[in-house]
């Protein structure tokens, strides 16, 4: 289901938030972590600041450089959110939806997938340099019923097909 809501407010440039509801929320905590990683891949492949879509949107003036995206999942809800500024939010939305459809048809580039896998692994290792990051990760594990060191095993199991199927 698609809906569009617009509200007039006093801002210098129109703001937008685009949400994609994810209804595939696994009951098993490990599978939720797996889903979070897969959706993280999708988020980075589609909306990365070094990616094709972002570059196109910026070069054509459809969004401002503050464009951002994130994916969130917990036991009861999950969603992908895009946010930014745009003179014409509807045009930005249309371009984003067209790019998603194009990527679904084209599929996931194997080299991009492998590069992202290495980035995710490196980020996980580097998170152990920060007491704050360790505390946040341990707290999340307690709340979600997951295991901190299972992350790497889940990451190693994910394939390009898993990402393509979730797209």
């Amino acid at each position: 289901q698609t809906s569009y809501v617009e509200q007039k407010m006093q801002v210098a440039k129109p703001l937008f938030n685009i949400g994609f509801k994810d209804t595939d929320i696994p009951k098993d905590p490990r599978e939720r972590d797996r889903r979070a990683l897969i959706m993280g891949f999708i988020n980075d492949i589609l909306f990365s600041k070094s990616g094709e879509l972002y570059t196109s949107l910026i070069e054509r003036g459809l969004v401002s450089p503050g464009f951002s995206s994130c994916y969130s999942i917990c036991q009861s809800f999950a969603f992908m959110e895009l946010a930014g500024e745009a003179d014409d939010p509807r045009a930005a939305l249309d371009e984003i939806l067209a790019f998603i459809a194009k990527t679904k048809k084209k599929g996931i580039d194997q080299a991009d997938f492998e590069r992202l896998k290495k980035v995710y692994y490196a980020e996980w290792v580097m998170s152990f340099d920060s007491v704050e990051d360790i505390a946040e990760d341990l707290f999340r594990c307690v709340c979600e019923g997951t295991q901190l060191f299972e992350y790497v095993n889940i990451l190693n199991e994910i394939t390009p097909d898993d990402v393509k199927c979730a797209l």
Side-chain angles (χ1 to χ4, degrees):
Q1 177 183 353
T2 307
S3 62
Y4 181 86
V5 176
E6 190 172 301
Q7 184 176 7
K8 302 286 184 194
M9 302 175 84
Q10 290 185 346
V11 292
K13 191 168 202 165
L15 306 171
F16 67 86
N17 283 296
I18 300 169
F20 298 98
K21 182 177 180 179
D22 185 358
T23 57
D24 186 12
I25 305 169
K27 299 247 185 269
D28 178 62
R30 186 181 193 281
E31 288 302 309
R32 270 196 311 278
D33 276 354
R34 187 173 191 280
R35 180 72 177 176
L37 274 168
I38 289 170
M39 296 306 288
F41 275 95
I42 290 172
N43 185 29
D44 287 334
I45 288 167
L46 293 175
F47 309 118
S48 165
K49 291 199 178 208
S50 62
E52 179 185 338
L53 175 63
Y54 180 83
T55 302
S56 172
L57 291 172
I58 290 291
E59 286 176 353
R60 295 170 47 215
L62 291 174
V63 299
S64 296
F67 177 78
S68 64
S69 63
C70 70
Y71 177 78
S72 296
I73 187 169
C74 67
Q75 296 172 4
S76 56
F77 65 87
F79 63 93
M80 179 85 65
E81 177 191 12
L82 311 176
E85 296 178 337
D87 288 325
D88 186 355
R90 185 57 142 175
L93 173 62
D94 291 343
E95 287 298 315
I96 289 165
L97 293 175
F99 185 78
I100 292 170
K102 178 180 134 185
T103 304
K104 281 182 180 182
K105 278 185 183 176
K106 183 177 74 169
I108 306 300
D109 182 69
Q110 181 73 29
D112 288 345
F113 174 81
E114 293 301 330
R115 179 183 46 77
L116 276 174
K117 219 173 190 180
K118 290 174 185 174
V119 167
Y120 281 29
Y121 181 78
E123 287 174 348
W124 181 75
V125 170
M126 289 187 327
S127 75
F128 290 100
D129 287 342
S130 164
V131 174
E132 183 178 326
D133 287 349
I134 293 169
E136 285 178 15
D137 288 344
L138 287 173
F139 182 72
R140 184 191 59 78
C141 287
V142 168
C143 291
E144 289 289 320
T146 58
Q147 300 294 318
L148 181 62
F149 294 106
E150 190 62 15
Y151 179 91
V152 173
N153 296 331
I154 297 169
L155 180 61
N156 287 331
E157 294 169 4
I158 294 173
T159 67
D161 282 341
D162 293 329
V163 176
K164 183 180 179 186
C165 288
L167 189 63

